[in-house]
Amino acid sequence: FSSVTSVLNMSIFKDQFVLEDLIQEFKKKSTALSFGPLQSNGHISVQGSFPAIKLLRDFLLLKAKSLPEKDKREEKESKSHQRPRRRLQQQRLTTETSNSVHDANGEKQVVVLDTDVYHYIKYFFPRTFLVNDDVVISGITAGDITTVNIENAGSRSDARWVLRVKEKIEIQSMKLHNTLRKERIYFKEHIRDEKQRYKWACERLKPRYPYVLIIPYDTHIDVIGNSSDIFEFTKEVK
């Protein structure tokens, strides 16, 4: 749940926008983010939670899509002079960008969530993922990140329903990302009896901490909730 930092290259917008004004627009739309000073080369650092960075990225993609074709060609030509490894990274980014922009206008949306936040939403806020028969939601977990796909499954369904579901998930994720914390209880000895004792203790304490999520693994137990709850909970378990 720690914050992340990204460096934005704003130079591609300099012929169409006043960069200082564009950054002020970012700050108004993304109050949860903190911005560093604008460098002479058009670079600026931004820091905040992963969901907030993701929303800023989507906003940047829409801005980039509005650039005239001339600017896009010039940017493409400048990329062709970069080192091969750098070109590969840019190519992956371009592919992801085009898919994201296309999905924003189509019948499929993608939300990238912290895996712990995803589990917490599914357990305590299942209605967030409750949809009708015309919308299908699937989640793919890869370590700390879970990708949620929201697709239009009905031939007569309005694509706006898909966008509304995405926005609902993002809003809930943002709220939880700012409040949730996680403690990890490691098993000192990898023996069955010890694991059972820890799990038994967690189950006994769970009714006293109704908003704590317990996720058992082979080597540890993750405890997710607000900071005061999980501190007291792990203390009593140990």
Side-chain angles (χ1 to χ4, degrees), residues 26-45:
F26 293 168
K27 291 180 178 179
K28 290 179 181 179
K29 287 183 174 291
S30 307
T31 55
L33 296 174
S34 59
F35 293 82
L38 179 64
Q39 305 297 322
S40 58
N41 59 1
H43 289 191
I44 184 172
S45 64

Side-chain angles (χ1 to χ4, degrees), residues 108-109 111 118 129 136-140 146-151:
K108 178 181 177 180
Q109 295 289 339
V111 183
Y118 171 73
F129 297 104
V136 175
I137 296 181
S138 59
I140 302 174
T146 295
T147 303
V148 179
N149 297 297
I150 310 140
E151 299 183 67

Side-chain angles (χ1 to χ4, degrees), residues 70-190:
K70 176 176 177 294
D71 294 335
K72 293 178 182 177
R73 287 198 301 272
E74 289 177 352
E75 177 67 12
K76 185 176 181 180
E77 290 171 1
S78 69
K79 290 177 185 175
S80 66
H81 297 293
Q82 297 170 351
R83 293 179 298 154
R85 183 179 178 184
R86 181 63 177 169
R87 284 207 307 270
L88 178 60
Q89 293 173 343
Q90 291 287 355
Q91 182 179 3
R92 290 172 179 168
L93 178 61
T94 303
T95 303
E96 184 180 356
T97 298
S98 61
N99 288 340
S100 298
V101 173
H102 171 75
D103 290 343
N105 297 322
E107 297 181 342
K108 178 181 177 180
Q109 295 289 339
V110 176
V111 183
V112 181
L113 301 177
D114 181 287
T115 297
D116 294 321
V117 172
Y118 171 73
H119 287 313
Y120 198 90
I121 294 175
K122 284 199 70 176
Y123 189 86
F124 288 106
F125 304 95
R127 292 181 64 85
T128 304
F129 297 104
L130 185 62
V131 294
N132 56 34
D133 294 337
D134 293 328
V135 178
V136 175
I137 296 181
S138 59
I140 302 174
T141 297
D144 294 334
I145 297 297
T146 295
T147 303
V148 179
N149 297 297
I150 310 140
E151 299 183 67
N152 183 356
S155 57
R156 294 181 297 174
S157 178
D158 194 329
R160 286 177 296 180
W161 281 107
V162 176
L163 186 59
R164 288 174 185 172
V165 172
K166 177 194 176 188
E167 292 174 347
K168 182 171 65 171
I169 294 173
E170 286 180 334
I171 291 171
Q172 186 65 68
S173 170
M174 284 287 290
K175 291 179 181 177
L176 294 174
H177 205 284
N178 293 330
T179 59
L180 290 181
R181 298 293 181 268
K182 177 171 72 174
E183 286 284 346
R184 180 163 287 177
I185 303 174
Y186 287 98
F187 302 135
K188 296 178 181 178
E189 300 176 9
H190 300 296

Side-chain angles (χ1 to χ4, degrees), residues 1 116 120 124 180-187 198 201-203 205-206 209 211-217 220-238:
F1 300 102
D116 294 321
Y120 198 90
F124 288 106
L180 290 181
R181 298 293 181 268
K182 177 171 72 174
E183 286 284 346
R184 180 163 287 177
I185 303 174
Y186 287 98
F187 302 135
Y198 272 108
C202 288
E203 292 301 322
L205 290 170
K206 185 68 174 69
Y209 298 89
Y211 298 108
V212 166
L213 177 63
I214 304 165
I215 306 179
Y217 294 94
H220 63 274
I221 295 175
D222 281 345
V223 182
I224 303 169
N226 67 54
S227 57
S228 61
D229 278 354
I230 64 172
F231 175 78
E232 293 296 333
F233 183 89
T234 55
K235 181 181 177 181
E236 291 197 48
V237 167
K238 291 178 181 179

